[in-house]
Amino acid sequence: MNEKQAFEVIRHALKPRRYEHTKRVVEEATLLAERYGGDIEKIRLAAILHDYAKYRSSVEMRDKVLKDSTLPIALLDYGDELLHSFVGSVFVKQELNIDDEIVLSAIRYHTTGRASMTLEEKVVFLADYIEPGRTFPEAITTRELSKQDLDVACLESLKNTIGYLSNKSIGIYPDTFQAYNDFVIKLKKRGG
Ligand code: DGI
Ligand code: FE
Ligand code: FE
């Protein structure tokens, strides 16, 4: 599937506002890839498709988790908002015939992150958080950090997300904590 085809699929799968968000994520991911590296074609394809499942119903996504052995059942204990990233990667594979693991994992982990993220995962994860349509103060701070250091910026977004979710007493998926700890430990080792 080339980019033009992927954009066409996404234009139909998403509402206009979400489609505009997607285009900004692709632009932002391209800038990050130019700065930090990673496979730019795979990053762009993952960015185009990252919210593919955003408008699937909770019932459909929860059902997919129950039926697909590659999806952790624990996902069902967290907010349904979380499901679109994990389930989306499975739908992208099965419905759009995309088999590339770099692309699929960048979609899968774009919401939570995880320990030992690939460069492509980090770029899509961060681009989603800092695209210019995100105007809350934490996104702006993180956007500035993204010009200096990819890992520091990823950690900042994880800190903010964990703070935001815990303030609202929303469950935090373990991959989010594992990503946070992984960046803290790696940055500490790098600094010292
Ligand atoms: O899909 P987007 O809106 O572009 O952004 P996203 O994929 O980062 O999704 C954001 C939503 O996901 C938001 O409602 C908060 C939620 N979320 C992010 N991390 C976690 C989470 N929800 C739970 N329960 N646990 C998490 O760790
Ligand atoms: Fe998303
Ligand atoms: Fe998004």
Side-chain angles (χ1 to χ4, degrees):
M1 170 167 291
N2 64 32
E3 284 193 8
K4 194 163 177 267
Q5 293 167 322
F7 269 120
E8 220 25 46
V9 166
I10 285 303
R11 199 166 60 80
H12 291 286
L14 303 182
K15 293 181 183 167
R17 248 188 57 208
R18 179 66 46 179
Y19 182 62
E20 293 303 315
H21 157 74
T22 296
K23 287 198 285 188
R24 292 191 297 268
V25 173
V26 177
E27 267 177 46
E28 201 59 51
T30 305
L31 292 174
L32 290 171
E34 282 167 358
R35 191 183 296 265
Y36 296 111
D39 186 318
I40 192 135
E41 283 181 20
K42 293 181 183 185
I43 285 171
R44 285 179 57 94
L45 188 59
I48 296 167
L49 298 172
H50 82 281
D51 277 338
Y52 177 65
K54 194 75 181 178
Y55 294 104
R56 300 297 179 98
S57 72
S58 292
V59 171
E60 183 182 8
M61 290 194 287
R62 294 180 75 86
D63 194 51
K64 192 71 185 169
V65 173
L66 289 171
K67 289 187 176 142
D68 190 300
S69 62
T70 67
L71 290 168
I73 207 84
L75 283 168
L76 299 179
D77 292 334
Y78 297 83
D80 289 349
E81 275 290 313
L82 190 61
L83 297 176
H84 76 283
S85 49
F86 285 85
V87 176
S89 74
V90 174
F91 284 151
V92 162
K93 185 180 172 120
Q94 294 177 348
E95 297 173 7
L96 309 181
N97 297 315
I98 287 171
D99 271 323
D100 190 289
E101 284 304 326
I102 304 267
V103 174
L104 293 175
S105 78
I107 297 169
R108 183 177 171 112
Y109 297 106
H110 86 260
T111 304
T112 57
R114 64 162 164 172
S116 303
M117 291 171 81
T118 65
L119 191 45
E120 289 80 5
E121 286 168 14
K122 290 179 194 176
V123 166
V124 175
F125 170 84
L126 189 60
D128 189 32
Y129 190 76
I130 64 168
E131 63 92 349
R134 313 276 201 204
T135 52
F136 50 97
E138 293 84 354
I140 292 162
T141 315
T142 308
R143 193 180 169 76
E144 285 309 306
L145 288 174
S146 78
K147 293 170 189 161
Q148 313 298 322
D149 192 305
L150 180 65
D151 288 354
V152 169
C154 285
L155 176 59
E156 186 67 16
S157 89
L158 287 159
K159 277 200 261 188
N160 294 336
T161 298
I162 289 170
Y164 169 82
L165 294 169
S166 61
N167 263 328
K168 297 176 93 177
S169 301
I170 296 173
I172 296 166
Y173 193 67
D175 280 336
T176 306
F177 282 125
Q178 283 164 13
Y180 167 84
N181 285 328
D182 185 55
F183 282 116
V184 168
I185 291 165
K186 281 192 179 137
L187 285 165
K188 203 169 178 184
K189 281 188 183 152
R190 209 177 74 184

